[in-house]
Amino acid sequence: MNPLGTASPVVSTSLLEDFSLEMTGKDVPKLDEAAGLIPQGTRFNVTFLGNENLRMRLDAARAVKRLGFTPVPHISARRLTSRADFEQFLAGLQADGTGADVFAVGGDPTRPEGPYADSLALIESGLLPEYGVRHVGITGYPEGHPDIPGDVLWSALREKSASLAAQGLDGSVITQFGFDVDPVLAWLEQVRGHGITLPVRIGVPGPAGVRRLMSYAARFGVGTSASIAKKYGLSITNLMGTAGPDKFLHALAEGYDPARHGTVKIHFYTFGGLKATSEWIAQFRKEALA
């Protein structure tokens, strides 16, 4: 793992004061182990994967709430087989008091398994506020998407932002992770230039093995040139090593300007494990406040 160094005051007082984390339905035991390291109220995005069923998704959201955190269940549009399937999930969340905050995403399947082709279709269904949803997270892609043209991504982001506002729903954007701060900051300026004022959570990978990070980067079309890898602290000649996001966070803090970039927070992808990521964050925050 990379040395932590000394975090700048900007990192500790702004970007990291309200971070969020990601977990799967299988991570509940790890969440119990890591709970003491994480500030109460922290937002946990709970994935909607193909190998998870309704019970696992609802149980994970309940566990997040039980431990004093804020559950943010994912809803994968293309994985929903019907409107009834969608409503069953929303009703379960509402009954448990875990559905006020959700994250709407298109999902991995190339072809929809039901009537919802993308996250905009979920938002425009009108079902979210009907079942007590008050805040909806949507996706952002600072480095683009390997399968979606840039103009389509911008149009979708504008439409989703407008639809949320029209329904009186709060929203935020969570970005795909990356290793290079420069395209992130440029993209943030473009977001504001498009008139989108939603808060943005920049996706950051928690500490993980280099081989795993490179694998995820290839899967999601994230840049990993030699210069980018060096800037981030990745050793592409030592795939057995590990890397944390400390250099990325420092660079982001140095380049971040609220006047140009708006409200920005951090979202951690737990590729190296929930506990390892939580320990890393706790240590980084401790050094930042020292």
Side-chain angles (χ1 to χ4, degrees), residues 29-73:
K30 299 298 182 183
L31 178 62
D32 280 296
E33 292 178 13
L37 299 166
I38 305 163
Q40 289 286 285
T42 295
R43 299 168 67 84
F44 269 88
N45 280 45
V46 183
T47 58
F48 194 110
L49 303 179
N51 59 0
E52 297 169 349
N53 57 32
L54 177 64
R55 174 181 285 275
M56 288 179 65
R57 293 166 187 146
L58 293 177
D59 284 349
R62 290 190 198 106
V64 172
K65 181 184 177 183
R66 170 176 57 82
L67 291 168
F69 306 121
T70 301
V72 185

Side-chain angles (χ1 to χ4, degrees), residues 12 18 21 54 60 65 94 105 114 126 142 162 173 177 179 192-193 195 229 241 250 259:
S12 64
D18 179 26
L21 290 149
L54 177 64
K65 181 184 177 183
Q94 185 179 41
V105 62
V173 180
F177 76 94
F179 302 126
R192 304 315 178 197
H250 285 303

Side-chain angles (χ1 to χ4, degrees), residues 22 56 85 109 162 183 212:
E22 192 133 324
M56 288 179 65
D85 190 17
R212 174 169 291 187

Side-chain angles (χ1 to χ4, degrees), residues 121-238:
L122 298 180
I123 294 168
E124 294 191 331
S125 72
L127 291 174
L128 297 176
E130 184 177 326
Y131 281 91
V133 174
R134 296 291 175 263
H135 182 282
V136 181
I138 56 178
T139 54
Y141 298 93
E143 296 185 43
H145 190 289
D147 301 318
I148 305 174
D151 60 335
V152 175
L153 288 176
W154 284 117
S155 176
L157 192 58
R158 288 193 302 267
E159 289 178 16
K160 285 183 279 190
S161 177
S163 184
L164 291 175
Q167 296 179 63
L169 293 168
D170 290 332
S172 60
V173 180
I174 296 180
T175 75
Q176 182 58 271
F177 76 94
F179 302 126
D180 189 357
V181 165
D182 292 340
V184 171
L185 293 173
W187 177 84
L188 283 169
E189 286 200 65
Q190 288 181 282
V191 168
R192 304 315 178 197
H194 280 271
I196 299 167
T197 60
L198 297 175
V200 175
R201 290 181 177 271
I202 301 301
V204 175
V210 173
R211 185 185 299 275
R212 174 169 291 187
L213 290 172
M214 297 293 280
S215 174
Y216 277 107
R219 175 181 173 186
F220 295 115
V222 173
T224 55
S225 68
S227 61
I228 290 173
K230 182 179 180 180
K231 190 190 305 185
Y232 186 83
L234 289 169
S235 174
I236 56 178
T237 60
N238 178 20

